[in-house]
Structure formats: C-alpha cells, structure tokens
Amino acid sequence: LTLDIEMPRMDGLTFLKYLMKYFPIPVVVVSSLTDGKNAASLDALELGAVDIVPKPGGAYSVADILETLKEKILIAASVDFSKIKVQAQKNREIVLKAPKRLLSQIATTNKLIAVGASTGGTIALESLFKGFTPDFPPTVCVIHMPERFTTTFAQRLDSISRVNVVEAADGMMLVPATVYLAPGNFHLMVRARGKDFFLRVVSGPKVHHQRPAVDVLFQSVAAEAGRNAVGVLLTGMGRDGAEGLLKIKTAGGTTIAQDEASCIVFGMPKEAIALGAADKILPLEQIAEAVHQAVKN
C-alpha cells in the first residue's frame, strides 16, 4: 500500500513513524540499537512498535534469537490495531483528498532555503526554525558543531519546531516543511534532478578550518537552485559562508544576513555584508518572516 506522494529515503524510525500514521500494523523491531542503552529503543516503542528484540551483533546473528523472535511475532499478531486503523484511514483521506494543497507544496520544492551558522548558532537556529511553518520549502542547514552532537541537536530542533528537523543523510530527497542539518564532520551539498533536490553528504578537506562548511553548502545551492534559493547567514566567528552567500546572490537568489545587534558574534554576517552579499540585513526575530516572503514571491 502506498500514498500517491513522493517520499524521501528514511531511516528505520522515520519509516516506523510513517507506517504507524498511515498503515499501522504490528511491528517487532530487531536491531543492534535496541539494547536498552540506546534512545532508539524507547523511540520505537513510542512510535507504536509492539516490542523490541536486541540483536546480539554480527550480520548473521538472527538465528541466535530465533525462538524469542517467534514468540514476539505471535504476540504482536494478536494485538488489536482496529482503533489505530480508523485514525490511519482518516490520515490517508486527508492526504488524498487535498490535491491542491499537495500540488502547491510540490511547486515549492523548486524553492530551497539554505542556512549557515556558527558561534551562537544553536540559539539562533532555535529562534529561526520556531518561526518556520509547514508551508515552507525544504531547508538545508550547516552549523559548526562536532560529530555526534548534530544528531542530538537535530532532535532538539525537531521537538520545538512546527517543521520536521532531521540530520541529513546522503541520497535523501528534499521534501517541504523539513530542515536537513549537516552531520558533524561531513560537508553537506545539494544536487538537482529535474524539479527535485537530493543531498550529498561527503567528507573532504576542511574549508575555513571547518567541516561541515557553510561555503560548501551555499556554493552548491547557488549552482543547483540559483534564483530559487534563499540564503541566510547567522551569527558566527570567522568568514565561512560569506563567499557562498555572494554566489547565491549572484545566481539570482535572495540573501539575508543577521544584523550586528542580534548576533552573539558578528563575524560571518559582517564578512558577507562587507562583500555586498546580503540583500537584507535583519534582526534575528524578523528573518523567518523575510524568508517566508522570499519563497512566496
């Protein structure tokens, strides 16, 4: 069973969330991550999994838990999902009976928002994304943050935002109302295929002593989205993102820099402003609305 809408590549938990919302069935999760020490265990149960079975490890370890798995599957099969299925039917009808709304969202996938931040960026991004609404096009974002911290930060942003926030993975197709956060220690880029954008998550040399680097993201956005791009450069130390923001502007996109008064560190925006890269220089609290206006024009 499928809905007549395009879906991005999903990790296991994201797929489980989708499955339970639209086509709920009893699910037993088998994973090396479900060992009781990882948040994935609780996440899976909260999303609707009936039970979890830890995999001891190794590619061929399922045989070690075969009897336990059989028992869990039989129990799961007896769970009454009738009430959940009634709500799922309503969820499917909402999607399928609103073609105009979906078509308008698909049209906005030609638009792309790119955001860069560094020092002070955690607070700035929280403020910015709280102002994003479900009619926003896809957003790609780089913040200078160490590896492993970006996963937790993406979850934090997702919990306080009206749009979805996920850590980016290579090959993901961008969809509206979703922010894709570059994983620590990897550069994030976008590639266009027809009307759609896809993510590239790669290693490579540091740029401005950073990986991920804002300039790497912004330059790819300028090349692939051009006039359909909106670039936003927030608080941060150094000059990463300044040249990339200029490339977005030169390509015909809209560019915004955070003003000095609302920046914790007025480094990156200052460098961009000095280059003439910013169409608008705004306080943090006005940027979400300015982005919204830009993507609607």
Side-chain angles (χ1 to χ4, degrees):
L1 295 176
T2 61
L3 289 177
D4 191 22
I5 56 175
E6 294 190 53
M7 294 169 50
R9 294 185 182 181
M10 299 180 180
D11 59 30
L13 289 175
T14 304
F15 177 73
L16 180 60
K17 182 177 181 180
Y18 173 89
L19 185 69
M20 289 303 172
K21 184 174 182 178
Y22 295 111
F23 305 103
I25 58 174
V27 172
V28 176
V29 177
V30 181
S31 172
S32 58
L33 296 179
T34 58
D35 57 2
K37 301 176 182 178
N38 191 290
S41 302
L42 293 178
D43 290 343
L45 292 173
E46 288 177 358
L47 289 173
V50 176
D51 212 333
I52 54 176
V53 178
K55 186 166 65 174
Y60 304 98
S61 60
V62 174
D64 299 336
I65 56 167
L66 190 57
E67 292 304 317
T68 299
L69 186 57
K70 287 179 180 178
E71 180 182 350
K72 300 286 187 183
I73 290 173
L74 289 173
I75 293 173
S78 67
V79 175
D80 183 6
F81 268 63
S82 57
K83 291 183 179 180
I84 300 176
K85 288 181 178 180
V86 170
Q87 181 59 50
Q89 176 64 33
K90 294 178 181 178
N91 293 337
R92 294 198 298 271
E93 289 174 356
I94 289 172
V95 174
L96 295 173
K97 290 183 178 179
K100 291 183 179 179
R101 181 173 178 272
L102 286 175
L103 287 174
S104 68
Q105 285 190 345
I106 291 172
T108 64
T109 61
N110 291 324
K111 299 285 188 176
L112 182 63
I113 303 166
V115 180
S118 186
T119 311
T122 54
I123 296 172
L125 291 177
E126 286 184 9
S127 176
L128 178 66
F129 294 145
K130 280 182 180 178
F132 279 26
T133 52
D135 60 335
F136 271 57
T139 299
V140 284
C141 178
V142 162
I143 181 172
H144 299 156
M145 186 175 282
E147 193 172 3
R148 293 185 297 276
F149 284 83
T150 48
T151 302
T152 303
F153 185 51
Q155 293 169 348
R156 162 68 180 165
L157 291 173
D158 184 64
S159 70
I160 63 174
S161 304
R162 286 180 286 177
V163 295
N164 298 316
V165 182
V166 300
E167 189 176 43
D170 191 53
M172 279 182 168
M173 187 185 80
L174 304 191
V175 296
T178 305
V179 176
Y180 301 85
L181 188 70
N185 202 36
F186 289 90
H187 290 306
L188 179 64
M189 300 183 292
V190 298
R191 290 289 181 265
R193 298 179 194 167
K195 67 178 179 60
D196 297 317
F197 295 105
F198 293 81
L199 293 181
R200 292 293 317 281
V201 175
V202 300
S203 188
K206 292 183 178 181
V207 177
H208 302 298
H209 309 289
Q210 303 292 340
R211 188 175 55 232
V214 180
D215 264 337
V216 172
L217 174 63
F218 280 8
Q219 288 171 14
S220 74
V221 167
E224 300 295 313
R227 62 184 177 84
N228 291 313
V230 178
V232 179
L233 192 58
L234 302 176
T235 176
M237 186 178 297
R239 59 190 303 269
D240 186 24
E243 293 178 3
L245 197 71
L246 180 60
K247 286 186 179 295
I248 291 176
K249 181 177 180 179
T250 302
T254 301
T255 55
I256 301 169
Q258 186 178 351
D259 73 354
E260 183 174 7
S262 63
C263 278
I264 292 178
V265 178
F266 189 53
M268 288 159 46
K270 180 181 179 180
E271 293 290 337
I273 293 166
L275 288 177
D279 293 320
K280 297 179 181 180
I281 304 166
L282 298 172
L284 179 61
E285 63 270 17
Q286 294 181 18
I287 293 178
E289 178 57 30
V291 172
H292 193 236
Q293 292 301 317
V295 298
K296 291 303 178 184
N297 292 335

